[in-house]
Amino acid sequence: MIGKKISEIRKDRGFTLSELAEKSNVSKSYLSNIERDLNQNPTVEVVIKLANVLQVDIDTILSPITKQNNPQLLEKEWVEELKSKSKVSIN
């Protein structure tokens, strides 16, 4: 799921949960819920912020989900919206 992928990338980059939350301006509890898959559909803006701080593209974060092509895990429309919004800068 998306949370496990974010956690994996975060650890590979050497960030603690607190550091990533602070740098991405996402609450630590919200990020923790994402990583533990308690929140399986984070907002587009949050995924973009995390991708920017982790210095990866959106496809890298979504890859384990989109490769499975399982609509129960993540709706195709959400993936497309996320990709289109990632091309717009979010402050």
Side-chain angles (χ1 to χ4, degrees):
M1 301 288 257
I2 192 170
K4 292 184 190 313
K5 187 65 175 184
I6 291 169
S7 176
E8 178 183 299
I9 297 168
R10 174 181 60 78
K11 290 172 185 174
D12 286 345
R13 298 286 192 261
F15 288 111
T16 65
L17 185 74
S18 296
E19 290 170 334
L20 179 57
E22 183 179 332
K23 289 180 184 291
S24 62
N25 199 28
V26 173
S27 78
K28 184 178 174 182
S29 61
Y30 187 68
L31 180 55
S32 176
N33 286 342
I34 293 169
E35 287 194 0
R36 292 180 295 138
D37 289 324
L38 298 176
N39 181 342
Q40 296 181 3
N41 290 309
T43 65
V44 172
E45 290 81 10
V46 167
V47 174
I48 293 168
K49 287 179 180 183
L50 296 172
N52 287 337
V53 172
L54 295 169
Q55 298 181 337
V56 296
D57 59 28
I58 299 301
D59 288 335
T60 300
I61 291 176
L62 300 178
S63 64
I65 297 168
T66 56
K67 285 182 182 174
Q68 291 177 8
N69 197 20
N70 186 340
Q72 291 178 328
L73 295 178
L74 191 62
E75 293 183 23
K76 186 176 181 178
E77 293 82 16
W78 189 83
V79 172
E80 295 305 317
E81 180 179 348
L82 182 61
K83 287 180 182 178
S84 71
K85 290 192 179 212
S86 71
K87 295 175 183 158
V88 177
S89 176
I90 296 180
N91 296 326

